[in-house]
Structures are given as structure tokens and as C-alpha cells.
Amino acid sequence: MTNTNYPICYAVKNKNIDIVAQSRSGGAFTAFSDDVLEKGGVIYGCVFEGLKVLHIRAVSKEGRDRMRNSKYIQSNIENIYLQVKKDLDAQKIVLFSGTPCQCHAIKKYIGNKVYENLILIDIVCQGVASTKVWEDYCAYVSKKVKEPIVSVSFRNKKFGWKSHIESFYGNKKEYHSGIMRDLISNRYILRPSCYSCPYKNMQRQGDLTLGDLWTDEQMKLPFNDYDGISLVLVNSDKGQEIFNASASKTESIRIDITRCKQRSLHTQVEPQKNREAFWKNYKKRSFSYIISHYTTETRTNRFKKFIKQVVRRG
Ligand SMILES: Cc1cc2nc3c(=O)[nH]c(=O)nc-3n(C[C@H](O)[C@H](O)[C@H](O)COP(=O)(O)OP(=O)(O)OC[C@H]3O[C@@H](n4cnc5c(N)ncnc54)[C@H](O)[C@@H]3O)c2cc1C
Ligand code: SF4
């Protein structure tokens, strides 16, 4: 069945504050996937494996918890479509979460067959960044701080959920910076296909769509937005069933769609005017040159400061 063009919109917050703290926005993904796991289903989603970003299959809460939080890099999805189909044919309930283009690819892969046991969750998606820049950046940080980086988190909530800070974790210390944030928001390093994305509209690919809900003073919500609220679009009857099934785990309130028509739901990202020059320089110059010319970090001297403001872990 085709999804509606007029989704029902909700502000959603997981009742468990630890889950909200570990999630990108209000922890809606955990609430929806809990219900599927409790029914013996399978979850597919995006994780960090060290510094690499990829999709995995999970049948436990521990595996699913690794999918929490946004990774702004393209996820490696090799072999996942095949596994999804196998699970569907074995009559398992399958929840696949990912970008709208990945959800569309799943539908293409399974063809015309309608699987009632497939639930798709797409995210509001600005675009994913170049894996090459990500790898170079990680190598740069590791060299700069003179220790291997073992894990990473985008948009660490300890700096507030509206901030965009990347946190790198060594064995004993952690380091913070906003270089990826700047290169993404300055529109230099998204994947080329993201600049002409056909999914920036309300005809969503998922039964449910998840995003960040940015509130304003007129939006009176019965819960606080201090540590994150999810925007949830219910796009199909199946989506509404999942939403209702998780109701005991969340606080939620219906909101007017006109209040949350954020850019990534309706407008393609324009490449930066000097993007070509950026890439020419990227190929020729050092990573420090890129930082000093295309990000605010060196201009404000914040990167050096952040790198120096190391915090001993544990
Ligand atoms: C690349 C990217 C761009 C985004 N752009 C916007 C935006 O412009 N506006 C907006 O409102 N929200 C955007 N989001 C969505 C938002 O950041 C949260 O992912 C969403 O609100 C879910 O939060 P949560 O607290 O419910 O769940 P969390 O528990 O934080 O769930 C994370 C979910 O995101 C999926 N995911 C994480 N990284 C990736 C990835 N690289 N590829 C595919 N799936 C991934 C996981 O599989 C999981 O389902 C973006 C997310 C990503 C990954
Ligand atoms: S912006 Fe569009 S093409 Fe790029 S990852 Fe998101 S859904 Fe896919």
C-alpha cells in the first residue's frame, strides 16, 4: 500500500531519560524497535564499528542499542538487503531503519511481493558525508593527539542536544571538535547524489519517519525539550500500529505539520558555490589547510583549544 502524502505528526519523547541521553533526539527509535524485539523480531540499523559506519542485523536489545545516535557518514550496507529478504521469507518481523534512499532500495530489492512483516523507518535526511573525508579526519585527529582513536560520537549531548560537537575517544582521553559539522553545514562534503535527492518530500519511504523536533515558544509541549525530542511522522496504517504499540514507553502529543516542515523534508541541499575549488584543494593540500580555510575551528582557535581541553576518561 502507498504511504499517505499527509502524515500525522507527533512530538515524541522516550519516558526513560537514559535512553533519551543515548539517542540523537527523543529516543523514539528505541521505543518502536523495543516492541519488535519483544515479539521476537529482527532490527536492522546503522552502527559505528570502531570508526567505520555500517548497517547490522540485531535480535537483542544490546545489538539494537548500538544503532542509537546519528552517524553523518554514508553507511556501508553490503549484503544487508539479502539478509532482510531471508528474514522476511522466514516470516520474521523485520524492522529496517535507515535513510529514505536505503528504505527505497529495500522495496526495490524485494520487488512486487507485499510483506506484511516488513516495517520501514526512514529518517529525515539532510544527506550523508564523504567516507574519504571522514577517514582522513580521523587519521588527522589521531596524529594530532598522538594516540589511536577507538570510538567516536557525533553530537555528544553533554554539550546540549542542539549543539554539533564530534567527540573522539582514545584509550584514556576524549577530544572534541566541530570540523565535520562545519564541512557538512557549509555544503562541501555531502555525497554527490544527496544534492539532487528525490526523497525530500512528504511522500515518505518509511511507515514511520524520525527527525529532530526543533520547538519554538508557540509550541507548547507537555514535556521539556532540554535533552531532545523526536519528530515522528506516521505515514501508513502499519506505522500507526507500531506507534500505538509503543505508547506506554513514550510521552507524545500530536502536532501540526506546518510547525515542523523543516528544510530536509522539502528542499534539496544546494552545493556550496566553491565546492569544486574545495575538492581541488582537498586533493592537493593538507588536512590542516582544509581546516583553516573551510571551517571555523582554526579561525576561532577553538579546535586547538578543544584538543588541549582533554578530559581523562573513567
Ligand atoms: C545522515 C543523517 C542526516 C540527518 N538529517 C536530519 C535533518 O536534516 N533533520 C532532522 O530533523 N533529522 C535529521 N536526521 C535524523 C536525526 O538526527 C535522528 O536520527 C532521528 O531524529 C532519530 O532520533 P532518535 O532519538 O529517535 O533515535 P536514535 O536512537 O538516535 O536512532 C538512530 C537511527 O538512525 C539510524 N541511522 C543513524 N545513522 C545513520 C546513517 N548514517 N545512515 C542510515 N541510518 C542511520 C539508525 O539506524 C537508527 O535507526 C539525520 C540523521 C542522519 C543519520
Ligand atoms: S539525502 Fe537523499 S540521497 Fe542522500 S542519503 Fe539522504 S535520502 Fe539518500
Side-chain angles (χ1 to χ4, degrees):
M1 209 163 75
T2 317
N3 290 349
T4 173
N5 263 327
Y6 301 96
I8 304 169
C9 299
Y10 294 92
V12 175
K13 187 158 184 163
N14 202 302
K15 285 182 183 164
N16 183 327
I17 53 167
D18 294 330
I19 292 173
V20 176
Q22 290 154 21
S23 306
R24 170 60 202 104
S25 45
F29 168 69
T30 299
F32 299 142
S33 48
D34 266 354
D35 183 57
V36 172
L37 286 172
E38 281 153 20
K39 288 180 179 144
V42 183
I43 313 293
Y44 287 87
C46 174
V47 300
F48 269 120
E49 205 144 277
L51 305 176
K52 293 201 183 313
V53 176
L54 67 158
H55 262 65
I56 62 160
R57 173 184 191 272
V59 289
S60 67
K61 290 194 175 173
E62 292 71 35
R64 182 281 317 275
D65 291 352
R66 292 180 57 206
M67 297 170 191
R68 287 181 187 148
N69 236 315
S70 295
K71 299 102 199 159
Y72 293 105
I73 318 297
Q74 185 174 35
S75 173
N76 183 339
I77 202 155
E78 225 173 276
N79 296 328
I80 288 293
Y81 299 123
L82 185 78
Q83 287 184 52
V84 166
K85 184 153 187 325
K86 267 195 191 159
D87 280 331
L88 288 171
D89 287 333
Q91 307 303 322
K92 293 187 192 316
I93 305 175
V94 174
L95 188 164
F96 176 90
S97 64
T99 58
C101 54
Q102 290 166 343
C103 290
H104 184 74
I106 292 272
K107 291 185 197 170
K108 286 277 215 199
Y109 186 81
I110 60 178
N112 293 331
K113 190 163 170 192
V114 176
Y115 286 96
E116 286 306 329
N117 48 336
L118 173 64
I119 301 153
L120 291 172
I121 296 189
D122 70 346
I123 50 178
V124 178
C125 183
Q126 187 199 13
V128 288
S130 152
T131 306
K132 163 89 181 124
V133 175
W134 173 240
E135 287 171 357
D136 292 347
Y137 176 27
C138 292
Y140 174 84
V141 173
S142 178
K143 198 168 161 203
K144 193 95 184 157
V145 302
K146 299 191 181 66
E147 72 159 321
I149 299 300
V150 288
S151 64
V152 68
S153 158
F154 282 105
R155 302 182 79 174
N156 187 336
K157 275 191 178 170
K158 103 177 160 194
F159 298 104
W161 87 285
K162 290 175 186 173
S163 78
H164 287 249
I165 301 290
E166 300 121 34
S167 299
F168 292 88
Y169 303 94
N171 284 320
K172 295 210 175 108
K173 294 173 180 175
E174 60 185 71
Y175 313 91
H176 311 286
S177 133
I179 287 170
M180 208 68 186
R181 168 205 63 204
D182 284 0
L183 293 177
I184 292 175
S185 63
N186 292 339
R187 297 173 281 128
Y188 291 116
I189 61 162
L190 293 186
R191 302 276 310 159
S193 52
C194 298
Y195 296 105
S196 52
C197 172
Y199 307 104
K200 296 239 164 45
N201 53 53
M202 298 309 267
Q203 178 65 61
R204 305 300 303 171
Q205 295 300 315
D207 297 293
L208 294 163
T209 298
L210 306 182
D212 308 319
L213 183 70
W214 307 117
T215 52
D216 58 32
E217 274 134 30
Q218 279 122 35
M219 198 186 282
K220 301 219 177 329
L221 298 178
F223 36 88
N224 69 55
D225 81 342
Y226 168 70
D227 47 358
I229 299 182
S230 297
L231 165 68
V232 176
L233 308 185
V234 174
N235 308 312
S236 69
D237 292 345
K238 206 191 282 180
Q240 190 68 60
E241 269 173 44
I242 308 293
F243 186 90
N244 296 346
S246 69
S248 64
K249 299 200 164 150
T250 60
E251 297 182 274
S252 67
I253 185 163
R254 198 166 161 175
I255 51 172
D256 185 345
I257 184 97
T258 55
R259 290 221 159 270
C260 53
K261 276 208 159 186
Q262 47 176 288
R263 273 187 82 76
S264 297
L265 281 173
H266 57 81
T267 309
Q268 287 177 350
V269 178
E270 286 255 337
Q272 184 58 260
K273 278 193 206 85
N274 60 344
R275 187 173 180 272
E276 265 184 46
F278 167 88
W279 278 106
K280 272 189 193 146
N281 278 326
Y282 195 89
K283 282 171 197 155
K284 276 199 314 225
R285 311 272 191 161
S286 65
F287 203 80
S288 7
Y289 176 93
I290 296 297
I291 295 172
S292 58
H293 285 75
Y294 296 100
T295 78
T296 56
E297 290 295 336
T298 302
R299 262 180 269 146
T300 59
N301 216 18
R302 272 181 51 206
F303 183 58
K304 278 188 202 151
K305 218 162 127 202
F306 269 127
I307 287 291
K308 279 187 186 150
Q309 279 177 357
V310 290
V311 181
R312 203 158 278 279
R313 299 181 75 190

